[in-house]
Amino acid sequence: MACGDNKSIAFVSGNFNVVHPGHLRLLKFAAEQADALVVGVNSDKASGVTLPQDMRLENVRSIGMVEYAVGLEVPADTFISELKPDVVVKGKEFETRINPEQAAVDSYGGRLVFSSGELRFASLSLLEREYSGADLTAIRKPVDFPERHGFDISGLKSTLAKMSGMRVLVMGDLILDDYVTCDAIGMSQEDPTIVVTPIISKTFVGGAGGVAAHARGLGADVRFCTISGEDEFAKFARDSLEEQGVHCDFFPDSTRPTTRKQRFRALNKTLLRINHLRHHAASTDIQRKMLAAVEAALANCDLVLFSCFNYGCLPQDLVDAVAVKARAAGVMLAADSQASSQVGDVSRYKGMALISPTEREARLALNDFESGLAAVSERLMAKARAENLVITLGAEGMLINTLRDGALRTDRLPAFNLAPTDVSGAGDSFFMSAAMAVRTGADIWQSSYLGALAAALQVSRLGNIPLTVADLVAEIDETDFSHD
């Protein structure tokens, strides 16, 4: 077992027939005592064991805070003498009993600590499930839309199959999303402030990095080109993406940190978001290096996705230069430019096969907050010279626009998921999957439907967890349908 040269180790052992809240409180306390938590699961011969060791090990390994779970075929004190953990944790009820572990830790200078954890963490398993589980019961797939546009929902599986091996280059702003789930303690008596205690912290690679991870999850061969800070957050993002199979071209910028957004949540609601970022444009030297990397990649590329969050990664000169080189190489282009807490202009991405702004982003691009959506769509398509425009409308679905034979065709697709858990990443997953579908040769109606399905799956869980082909195929095969 290798926990790293400098990692401190906490150790807990037991039968773990059924992992209950008491175990979770104890394990959380132990995990807080060291860098890595190792859990020993007693052999089938131990007193009180009622389930096979393999099954008990599987249950313990599924707990996020456990770094290593091992089957014990020797007494715990013997294993401790070999492992030499920095701290051994036992339940408070063992404090007044004889503990063979004491002699083991004394032999090498470790510590034996007694604690059963804090009672308010009894719901920890539910909080863990908030990140890993997805509530798919709220997803309903419209049937009128496919009928109007002459395609069968099950046929989208062949579109997904064509995405396998597609060579995708993603350019844009890297963002790390930190979710800090807290226990709400109450109201401060000194001032009107909500008081919380952090329980679980999860970090996801988001922004354009999330787009790259989603595309990789759908089977594409993905290269991701971005700027980052010179910090541990950049290393975390690179390591995470490369572990998923994304090829990374990170260009460090000493004048900025790696963009990071912290969300503090309690009772399934986000209380506060803190942004750690700088949004000045990348230097001309960094732009030159990025363009050189892109030019080298275009020889083996099918699709370029501009995923812009307007934090300085994609200055106009760089966008224009990449677009010229991509068109010369016969590579399709698509763009998404987000403007939530920042200001952007999606119309600066000219001649894209697809752009997918929100209504606010579309209106910002035109400085028009009064005209009807149909007029906004037509004007934005003309200004951006886009082949396809999808304006996303949140709970109201999306408005799809396409130019065919010189005529503008429009249709509306309702939202598939009316009870989202977390809307972060919805636009990214729609943009990525719809653009890839267009690149396979699917029309905008099929592509938008597939993108809407991807977005519905994404918002059904907390955090920007990459989608997979299996996720989408399973939902395509589901029989929950509705009429538009």
Side-chain angles (χ1 to χ4, degrees), residues 184-267:
I185 296 176
M187 184 72 72
S188 169
Q189 297 303 306
E190 290 79 20
D191 52 48
T193 304
I194 298 173
V195 181
V196 298
T197 297
I199 301 175
I200 300 173
S201 180
K202 298 281 188 180
T203 301
F204 303 93
V205 178
V211 172
H214 281 303
R216 177 60 186 156
L218 296 192
D221 181 5
V222 183
R223 181 167 292 277
F224 175 40
C225 184
T226 190
I227 57 176
S228 71
E230 296 178 331
D231 49 35
E232 69 274 18
F233 302 111
K235 183 180 184 304
F236 171 85
R238 178 190 286 273
D239 290 347
S240 298
L241 289 168
E242 289 184 343
E243 186 177 340
Q244 295 173 59
V246 175
H247 309 289
C248 294
D249 288 324
F250 278 29
F251 295 89
D253 183 347
S254 61
T255 67
R256 72 180 76 228
T258 300
T259 300
R260 186 164 58 99
K261 298 180 179 180
Q262 289 180 297
R263 294 171 175 84
F264 293 84
R265 294 173 57 84
L267 303 175

Side-chain angles (χ1 to χ4, degrees), residues 373-407:
L373 267 177
V376 168
S377 299
E378 188 168 359
R379 286 182 57 204
L380 183 55
M381 288 195 75
K383 183 179 180 182
R385 303 195 300 273
E387 295 176 30
N388 299 289
L389 163 69
V390 178
I391 298 180
T392 56
L393 305 169
E396 295 180 285
M398 61 189 66
L399 189 67
I400 305 162
N401 305 270
T402 186
L403 279 175
R404 288 293 177 268
D405 301 322

Side-chain angles (χ1 to χ4, degrees), residues 61 85 116 131-132 158 162 164-165 168 176 223 277 354 360 367 396 398 404-405 413 421 445 463:
R61 284 172 179 150
S116 296
Y131 293 98
S132 60
S158 64
K162 293 175 185 176
S164 179
V168 178
L176 288 183
R223 181 167 292 277
L277 57 88
L354 172 68
R360 177 176 178 271
N367 193 27
E396 295 180 285
M398 61 189 66
R404 288 293 177 268
D405 301 322
L413 190 58
T421 298
W445 316 115

Side-chain angles (χ1 to χ4, degrees), residues 140-147 153 413-416 449 480-484:
R140 295 292 184 272
K141 298 185 291 293
V143 294
D144 292 357
F145 186 91
E147 291 172 357
I153 295 173
L413 190 58
F416 290 15
Y449 199 96
D480 287 329
F481 298 101
S482 68
H483 289 269
D484 297 8

Side-chain angles (χ1 to χ4, degrees), residues 45-219:
K45 298 177 182 178
S47 175
V49 168
T50 58
L51 293 174
Q53 189 184 57
D54 288 348
M55 184 180 298
R56 291 179 287 125
L57 272 169
E58 183 179 353
N59 290 338
V60 172
R61 284 172 179 150
S62 69
I63 301 171
M65 70 191 84
V66 177
E67 187 152 346
Y68 298 98
V70 296
L72 296 181
E73 301 304 330
V74 296
D77 57 318
T78 301
F79 184 81
I80 289 167
S81 297
E82 297 175 358
L83 180 64
K84 294 182 173 57
D86 298 83
V87 58
V88 175
V89 179
K90 297 188 73 174
K92 193 72 173 176
E93 67 273 20
F94 290 96
E95 191 169 16
T96 58
R97 304 182 192 179
I98 297 173
N99 294 284
E101 297 90 347
Q102 187 67 65
V105 297
D106 288 346
S107 69
Y108 62 85
R111 292 185 298 132
L112 179 62
V113 177
F114 300 95
S115 175
S116 296
E118 299 182 55
L119 292 178
R120 65 173 175 268
F121 298 133
S123 61
L124 188 60
S125 59
L126 295 177
L127 298 177
E128 288 277 8
R129 198 176 305 131
E130 186 179 25
Y131 293 98
S132 60
D135 180 10
L136 306 181
T137 59
I139 297 178
R140 295 292 184 272
K141 298 185 291 293
V143 294
D144 292 357
F145 186 91
E147 291 172 357
R148 284 199 299 275
H149 297 288
F151 69 90
D152 184 80
I153 295 173
S154 63
L156 296 175
K157 290 188 286 187
S158 64
T159 300
L160 282 170
K162 293 175 185 176
M163 294 179 183
S164 179
M166 182 183 294
R167 300 165 301 179
V168 178
L169 172 62
V170 178
M171 293 189 70
D173 303 278
L174 168 67
I175 298 173
L176 288 183
D177 292 311
D178 289 340
Y179 287 77
V180 184
T181 301
C182 305
D183 187 33
I185 296 176
M187 184 72 72
S188 169
Q189 297 303 306
E190 290 79 20
D191 52 48
T193 304
I194 298 173
V195 181
V196 298
T197 297
I199 301 175
I200 300 173
S201 180
K202 298 281 188 180
T203 301
F204 303 93
V205 178
V211 172
H214 281 303
R216 177 60 186 156
L218 296 192

